[in-house]
Amino acid sequence: MSDEELISIWMRPERQERSGPGRRPGYSRQQVTRAAVRIADAEGVDAATMRRIAGELGTGAMSLYRYVPRRDDLFDLMIDMAMSEVDLPEKPSGDWRSDLSLVAHRTRAAGQRHPWLIGLLSGRPTLGPQLLRVHEFALDALDGLGLDIDAITSFVGMVDDYVHSAVRREIGWLEEARRTGLDPERWKRDYIGPYVRQIVASGAYPLFSRSVLESRTAHLAAGERFRHGLDRVLNGIGAQIASDISR
Amino acid sequence: MSDEELISIWMRPERQERSGPGRRPGYSRQQVTRAAVRIADAEGVDAATMRRIAGELGTGAMSLYRYVPRRDDLFDLMIDMAMSEVDLPEKPSGDWRSDLSLVAHRTRAAGQRHPWLIGLLSGRPTLGPQLLRVHEFALDALDGLGLDIDAITSFVGMVDDYVHSAVRREIGWLEEARRTGLDPERWKRDYIGPYVRQIVASGAYPLFSRSVLESRTAHLAAGERFRHGLDRVLNGIGAQIASDISR
DNA sequence: AACCATTCAGGTACGATGTACGCAAACGGT
DNA sequence: ACCGTTTGCGTACATCGTACCTGAATGGTT
């Protein structure tokens, strides 16, 4: 594409179906994105190469560039497709706590269905329409409580940050194991296990060791653990809503 | 290296200086890491290729594999070298708030000196000694207040999450601009500027628009903005410390 | 002093990758 | 029937991580 047009993928229109003379497009941006998502879900984002995606569609690698200017833009499209699965009501319910909780849980679910999502999201700044929709819903959930926009943005950011890092913790090792091509069980047993044991045995990091050995939430189901952490974040926000408003 | 030994870089000893017969190593793990850090600081982490690092040292690419088993391990070493710059006292002061604030500010400073740090940190799960040291300090800062280990871990996580995402926001566009090889000013003006204007003009995202247009902190210096956000996170933790303890 | 097992240096080579370039095929309007 | 436009996609190139291998350096042993 040389440097002909440097413009956000969200402002660049897709080729139209009926636009006069010339051959009609055989695929669509959505089809390309869907194929990329399918591969990334199954084999990791690294496997979603241009050639591999094209192969999935039964075409040649260079054909994809008729639909997507750069590979990076394809990542943005993938993010947006995954975020479109975060199903939300038209408007927040009025109960900010359950609204933000809904966003958190749905985003977590999307992040688990698409283990590459969080990595891409925090890898580059992106603002696709579906991400905007979810973000707007979360901001809206905190509107009307007397908070200024900076506080609202900040609180929504805290929830986002929590969700991202919690999901990363949940799937981090799994993905890392796949990236190196090992089965996750063996990875955990032979790679990180001995190292963590050594850290604990060294005695140099007593509190870290306690967080590994004495944690009560560590033995809970992943969903419960997520809920506990989220509760703490929401509690922190709740406490400040009370004091911010009364000020 | 084939699959001879899959073992954490932190458990794999470096070649010893005096170990009997054989040629003595001409470089060290630290020298290799330092060269990689230097290149990544100046030209982005993508520029720190094996060949480029070797060139910086005046040797051949394959020589590096005498010191580092895989490129991914080199990333871990880079992270640890950067984290070693997070200077902290031996023990927390006893004032948890200023202790966590210190960790946050020092980590932010390291993240700005090394714009690749946060990206690598959240890209893969890693537990180098320097990261452990900083983490342990933060955990320790919250110890002795009557909190259980899960609460401590959770609160430290909130601060970490905030620092990471705040730094990412601060340097995100800069790095993205460099990755595409454009000067950051032009990038902001020609790429994201028009798109954000379009989002605002569409009227579909009123709260997002307010966060762009009406923000009071947006016009502050970056350092002030960071402090404000951090204060909110610490306030949320503080409120819960009070209620957790009295419970 | 001669030898040898051991270790490091680093060239060559392979299979990937993203993507620039260019040409042939398909299509609607005239 | 022709033509300008657009798509499909093969070829080619620079670049990547790294497996493999040869040769040089080194210190202990004889």
Side-chain angles (χ1 to χ4, degrees), chain B residues 164-189:
Chain B
H164 290 184
S165 80
V167 172
R168 215 195 305 281
R169 261 193 305 277
E170 290 185 40
I171 64 177
W173 285 339
L174 275 302
E175 280 301 288
E176 184 69 9
R178 172 158 60 194
R179 275 192 352 99
T180 54
L182 226 68
D183 109 277
E185 210 49 49
R186 212 172 93 86
W187 173 271
K188 197 169 174 182
R189 205 188 50 231

Side-chain angles (χ1 to χ4, degrees), chain A residues 50-108:
Chain A
M50 298 307 264
R51 282 175 241 259
R52 183 88 173 65
I53 296 165
E56 193 88 354
L57 291 171
T59 183
M62 293 314 292
S63 304
L64 303 186
Y65 288 93
R66 296 280 159 189
Y67 305 92
V68 172
R70 301 188 311 277
R71 192 167 127 93
D72 281 0
D73 287 323
L74 184 54
F75 287 153
D76 283 348
L77 293 169
M78 291 171 67
I79 290 171
D80 224 54
M81 181 169 283
M83 289 305 292
S84 76
E85 296 173 10
V86 176
D87 198 33
L88 295 171
E90 186 70 23
K91 297 283 290 178
S93 69
D95 175 1
W96 66 266
R97 199 169 164 117
S98 69
D99 285 332
L100 290 187
S101 185
L102 183 68
V103 171
H105 278 96
R106 293 270 155 92
T107 303
R108 170 175 178 254

Side-chain angles (χ1 to χ4, degrees), chain A residues 141-217:
Chain A
L142 286 176
D143 193 30
L145 298 173
L147 300 168
D148 65 48
I149 188 66
D150 287 321
I152 293 175
T153 307
S154 189
F155 292 152
V156 169
M158 284 186 211
V159 176
D160 279 347
D161 293 349
Y162 170 73
V163 173
H164 289 184
S165 81
V167 172
R168 215 196 307 278
R169 260 193 305 277
E170 290 185 40
I171 63 178
W173 285 339
L174 275 303
E175 281 300 288
E176 184 68 10
R178 171 158 61 194
R179 276 192 352 99
T180 53
L182 227 69
D183 105 279
E185 210 50 48
R186 212 174 93 86
W187 173 270
K188 197 169 173 181
R189 202 188 51 230
D190 297 350
Y191 191 90
I192 70 140
Y195 179 50
V196 170
R197 253 192 306 280
Q198 173 188 295
I199 293 170
V200 171
S202 79
Y205 309 98
L207 284 150
F208 172 80
S209 301
R210 276 176 58 197
S211 79
V212 171
L213 301 175
E214 296 176 23
S215 166
R216 280 180 311 191
T217 65

